[in-house]
Amino acid sequence: MTRTQPQPQPRPDTNCRPLRVAVVGATGAVGQEFLRVLHHRGFPIAELRLLASARSAGTEMQFAGQPCRVEELTADSFSGIDLALFSAGGAISKQFAPAAVEAGAVVVDNSSCFRMTEGVPLVVPEVNPEAIAAAGIGFGDGLRPGIIANPNCSTILMLVAVTPLHRAAGVKRMVVSTYQAASGAGAAAMRELEQQTREALDPANNGQVLTKDIFPFQYAFNLFSHNSPMEPNGYNQEEMKMVRETHKIWGDAEPAAITATCVRVPVMRAHAESINLTFERPLTEERARAILADAPGVALIDDRDANVFPTPLDASHRDDIFVGRIRQDISRPDGTSLDLFLCGDQVRKGAALNAVQIAELL
Ligand SMILES: NC(=O)c1ccc[n+]([C@@H]2O[C@H](COP(=O)([O-])OP(=O)(O)OC[C@H]3O[C@@H](n4cnc5c(N)ncnc54)[C@H](OP(=O)(O)O)[C@@H]3O)[C@@H](O)[C@H]2O)c1
């Protein structure tokens, strides 16, 4: 049986001066998670500004047990702000992140808007924290305001688990299939899955679902190819993000060959991924297991005797990426290929936690 305890997460430097923080998209799935993570990690906050659309302006949210009023996002929202955490979609980031930087803030952006922009660091703290210092962005002497991009959630989960193996044996080729939860599409998608499930189980509806506001397909008791737009090569944008962002984050002179298939499954929260890796050098499953047992942000659930492996429920509301099914790929007898399966809470590590960890590095 292999089951490791979740790794303790680094805490912010308690000597850091408290910051004036804005959360853009505070009422959304990621925004609400931001508030939980900031509180849970004891992030040093001098002032917290919650920003959303005019629809939510005036509503009250809770932070650390205290009521906090939501304000409408405008170009003037960032005056006096040190750190702006954006999770309101690409169009909002494109329009307002430059204004936040202009006002003197460091922006950590959860949208895909700036991820592939040259000069914008794309960061997973367990993988490439050095990219932040290289860009000169931060709060100390000689550092400047700027935008740091949070990678795509499926990319983050994958790279936390795969990068330690890449460092040990050099990933030459990676084949990944995802099983993505409703929460990845936001709070409204979670409500739609819940509503459709009720409708499908209601005898009065004869198994039919009536509500299809977010996805064009029935989601409850079904699954479908990821809803992001298709690219001309037949991959959807989610799949190509996993490829392109991994290349940028790893920054290898000879990038690994990567192919991905992304699927939306009727799970409320936490994504799963099945990953096949081919390495430059042989890597045994025992060595891979030992590497992952020591890897920051990874916890193993790999109990073959009991047939117990990671599930989205294990990963929900947890910081770690849970990895199991670590096995030699029998189609490659030379020992250069492994399979594994992982689950991770993409609202937390795939978005809010990763962004707060970036802010802690600053
Ligand atoms: N969900 C995930 O797992 C995940 C993971 C990684 C990255 N992301 C990215 O994070 C962003 C937010 O995702 P989400 O899942 O949290 O979405 P969501 O639940 O739909 O929340 C969207 C947020 O954006 C706000 N918003 C919408 N239009 C706005 C406007 N015109 N001005 C100001 N605020 C506006 C909403 O405010 P109202 O309540 O007022 O409408 C809400 O707070 C997206 O870019 C997404 O791609 C999400």
Side-chain angles (χ1 to χ4, degrees), residues 55-66:
R55 290 180 293 275
S56 312
T59 58
E60 215 166 69
M61 296 181 76
Q62 294 285 317
F63 177 72
Q66 299 296 317

Side-chain angles (χ1 to χ4, degrees), residues 297-322:
V298 174
L300 293 183
I301 302 180
D302 204 17
D303 187 347
R304 290 181 186 176
D305 294 341
N307 206 349
V308 171
F309 303 107
T311 70
L313 287 181
D314 293 321
S316 292
H317 307 283
R318 303 290 294 273
D319 290 355
D320 285 296
I321 307 305
F322 291 80

Side-chain angles (χ1 to χ4, degrees), residues 25 27-30 52-53 55-56 73 87-89 92 110-111 183-184 186-187 346 350-351:
T27 51
V30 176
S53 76
R55 290 180 293 275
S56 312
L73 170 67
S87 66
I92 298 297
N110 264 295
S111 81
S183 54
Q346 90 296 331

Side-chain angles (χ1 to χ4, degrees), residues 105-350:
V106 172
V107 169
V108 185
D109 181 34
N110 264 295
S111 81
S112 57
C113 186
F114 301 104
R115 286 182 193 148
M116 299 309 294
T117 303
E118 219 178 311
V120 172
L122 183 64
V123 177
V124 183
E126 294 85 347
V127 176
N128 64 335
E130 69 285 351
I132 298 175
I137 297 172
F139 300 119
D141 283 346
L143 299 174
R144 62 177 176 91
I147 299 171
I148 299 169
N150 221 37
N152 166 272
C153 50
S154 303
T155 310
I156 294 176
L157 308 189
M158 176 173 78
L159 293 190
V160 169
V162 171
T163 302
L165 306 178
H166 179 47
R167 288 185 183 133
V171 170
K172 212 161 71 171
R173 181 163 191 262
M174 174 150 60
V175 182
V176 54
S177 300
T178 68
Y179 311 76
Q180 299 188 216
S183 54
M190 295 168 81
R191 287 193 292 274
E192 178 151 307
L193 175 57
E194 200 177 319
Q195 174 68 14
Q196 282 193 0
T197 305
R198 271 204 205 92
E199 290 171 356
L201 292 173
D202 183 346
N205 292 332
N206 287 325
Q208 299 293 306
V209 304
L210 312 170
T211 310
K212 288 185 192 158
D213 296 332
I214 305 298
F215 300 117
F217 313 103
Q218 176 171 333
Y219 193 10
F221 306 104
N222 196 14
L223 57 82
F224 46 86
S225 180
H226 194 277
N227 47 294
S228 56
M230 295 300 294
E231 299 210 357
N233 63 2
Y235 286 72
N236 60 49
Q237 280 184 5
E238 183 84 355
E239 293 159 351
M240 290 311 297
K241 283 175 190 173
M242 294 185 81
V243 176
R244 295 184 182 119
E245 293 179 17
T246 299
H247 289 158
K248 176 166 176 176
I249 293 164
W250 279 356
D252 294 326
E254 271 187 58
I258 303 170
T259 182
T261 301
C262 292
V263 172
R264 190 73 76 186
V265 297
V267 164
M268 194 55 79
R269 189 170 167 132
H271 290 352
E273 300 181 10
S274 163
I275 303 176
N276 177 266
L277 299 164
T278 302
F279 299 98
E280 285 160 12
R281 302 176 289 284
L283 183 68
T284 64
E285 62 184 43
E286 292 78 17
R287 175 103 183 92
R289 205 171 283 115
I291 290 168
L292 290 172
D294 280 344
V298 174
L300 293 183
I301 302 180
D302 204 17
D303 187 347
R304 290 181 186 176
D305 294 341
N307 206 349
V308 171
F309 303 107
T311 70
L313 287 181
D314 293 321
S316 292
H317 307 283
R318 303 290 294 273
D319 290 355
D320 285 296
I321 307 305
F322 291 80
V323 182
R325 305 290 332 268
I326 302 164
R327 63 200 189 278
Q328 218 79 49
D329 170 358
I330 54 169
S331 73
R332 277 193 176 266
D334 65 357
T336 58
S337 188
L338 290 173
D339 285 295
L340 58 83
F341 182 75
L342 63 79
C343 293
D345 186 326
Q346 90 296 331
V347 187
R348 185 172 282 228
K349 179 55 188 166

